[in-house]
Amino acid sequence: MFRNQYDTDVTTWSPAGRLFQVEYAMEAVKQGSAAIGLRSKSHVVLACVNKANSELSSHQKKIFKVDDHIGVAIAGLTADGRVLSRYMRSECINYNYTYESPLPVGRLVVQLADKAQVCTQRSWKRPYGVGLLVGGLDESGAHLYYNCPSGNYFEYQAFAIGSRSQAAKTYLERRFENFTNSSREDLIKDALIATRETLQGEKLRSSICTIAVVGVEEPFHILDQDTVQKLIDAFEIVGQDEPPAAEPGAAAEEGAGAGDGDGAGQGAVAEPDVAPMDI
C-alpha cells in the first residue's frame, strides 16, 4: 500500500513510470460483467453477461447500438459506457450528415481512443472506467476492436473482457483460426459457449445473457430472448452428445497404441495440451 503517494492524481507518474489512476480504471473493467466479441469475414457477434445487483432489480444494459453498421459491448462502469456510446452515436450521425456515407469503424475507434486519452492528461478529469468492444462492418470488411481506458485500442479476431473472462479467452484462443470462415450460426454458437465459460458452472439462460449481430445485409440488432434460448438449448444438446462420440475414437487409438507400445499413448495424451501451451 505504498501507492497512495503517487495515485492521488492521474497526471502524477510513479518512479517506476506508472500512472496508477489509469491502472485503477483498467481494473474496473476487470471487475465488470463479461463481454465477448467475435468476427468472421461477413459478421460480428457481441455477447455479454447480464447480472442484476439483486433479485428485485433489473440488469444494466451492456450492449448498445451505435449505427446500423456498428454496435458496442461494454464491461466496467455502465454509466461511462452509456456516455461514450452516445458520443459514438453522435459522431456517426454527424459523419453521415456531412459525407452521406457510413462512418468507417476504424476512424470511429480512433476518435474514441483520443477522447479516452485526453482524460489521462488532465488533472481535473478521471479516466473512463469502462472497456468497449466495438464491432462493425464497413467497406473493408468486418472489424472488432477493443478500446482501453488508457486510450489504447486493438483489433481482434475474437476477444473477451470483464470478470472471469480468462476462461472465455482460453476457449476463443483454441478456436479463433476457424472464425474467419465461420457462418453466422456457428459464430453465435461460439459466442454462447464462450459466455458459458465465464459463468463457472452456473447454467446459461437467455435471461442472463445478451447477443447482438451485425453482418452483410444485416443491420446491427439484438436477438430476442426466445431466439437466444433456442440457440442455447441447441448447443447444450450438442455438448451432451459430443463426449460419447469421442469415446469410440479414443478406444480405437488405445487399441492401435497397444501394438505400438507406450509412445503412442503418450502422444495421444499430449495433444490436448498443445493449444494452451502455444497460446
Side-chain angles (χ1 to χ4, degrees):
M1 300 299 293
F2 297 103
R3 297 182 176 185
N4 54 4
Q5 55 185 326
Y6 299 110
D7 65 358
T8 57
D9 197 324
V10 72
T11 60
T12 301
W13 291 95
S14 75
R18 299 166 65 180
L19 292 171
F20 288 116
Q21 288 284 338
V22 177
E23 292 183 14
Y24 296 160
M26 296 168 68
E27 188 65 28
V29 177
K30 297 178 182 178
Q31 301 298 327
S33 299
I36 297 164
L38 306 87
R39 71 177 174 94
S40 65
K41 289 181 178 178
S42 58
H43 289 83
V44 180
V45 175
L46 299 176
C48 70
V49 176
N50 303 323
K51 286 295 183 69
N53 291 330
S54 71
E55 295 180 358
L56 301 177
S57 68
S58 63
H59 62 79
Q60 292 280 350
K61 188 177 181 182
K62 297 288 186 180
I63 295 182
F64 301 93
K65 178 179 179 180
V66 176
D67 202 348
D68 285 339
H69 67 298
I70 299 177
V72 59
I74 67 171
L77 193 59
T78 309
D80 286 1
R82 190 173 61 246
V83 169
L84 289 177
S85 66
R86 187 165 61 242
Y87 165 78
M88 296 167 68
R89 200 174 295 124
S90 176
E91 290 298 313
C92 287
I93 292 172
N94 293 335
Y95 186 93
N96 200 1
Y97 179 80
T98 304
Y99 300 102
E100 297 183 355
S101 63
L103 176 59
V105 183
R107 181 174 298 186
L108 177 62
V109 167
V110 172
Q111 293 175 353
L112 182 63
D114 290 344
K115 184 177 178 66
Q117 191 276 335
V118 169
C119 295
T120 68
Q121 278 191 301
R122 303 290 187 270
S123 60
W124 61 90
K125 293 186 177 182
R126 66 162 176 82
Y128 291 104
V130 65
L132 299 97
L133 290 177
V134 183
L137 198 74
D138 56 24
E139 293 179 351
S140 60
H143 301 280
L144 175 69
Y145 290 91
Y146 169 55
N147 277 79
C148 183
S150 64
N152 289 325
Y153 65 93
F154 310 91
E155 186 170 11
Y156 287 93
Q157 185 72 42
F159 197 56
I161 58 176
S163 62
R164 296 190 293 274
S165 60
Q166 186 56 50
K169 287 180 188 176
T170 302
Y171 173 81
L172 296 173
E173 286 166 351
R174 289 201 201 103
R175 299 270 302 165
F176 80 96
E177 293 180 351
N178 302 323
F179 292 159
T180 302
N181 298 315
S182 291
S183 64
R184 176 183 181 275
E185 289 71 23
D186 290 340
L187 214 59
I188 294 175
K189 175 183 174 181
D190 284 319
L192 286 169
I193 295 176
T195 303
R196 184 181 62 179
E197 294 295 317
T198 67
L199 299 178
Q200 289 189 338
E202 183 179 349
K203 185 177 181 181
L204 180 63
R205 305 183 305 277
S206 61
S207 60
I208 62 172
C209 71
T210 302
I211 302 291
V213 183
V214 61
V216 177
E217 299 181 355
E218 184 178 7
F220 183 88
H221 65 286
I222 298 175
L223 302 182
D224 59 80
Q225 284 195 3
D226 293 338
T227 303
V228 173
Q229 189 59 51
K230 290 178 182 177
L231 292 167
I232 291 173
D233 295 339
F235 88 72
E236 283 189 342
I237 292 173
V238 172
Q240 292 173 359
D241 292 340
E242 281 175 353
E247 288 178 2
E253 290 179 3
E254 290 177 2
D260 296 338
D262 294 337
Q266 293 175 355
V269 173
E271 282 184 358
D273 294 335
V274 171
M277 292 301 293
D278 291 344
I279 291 163

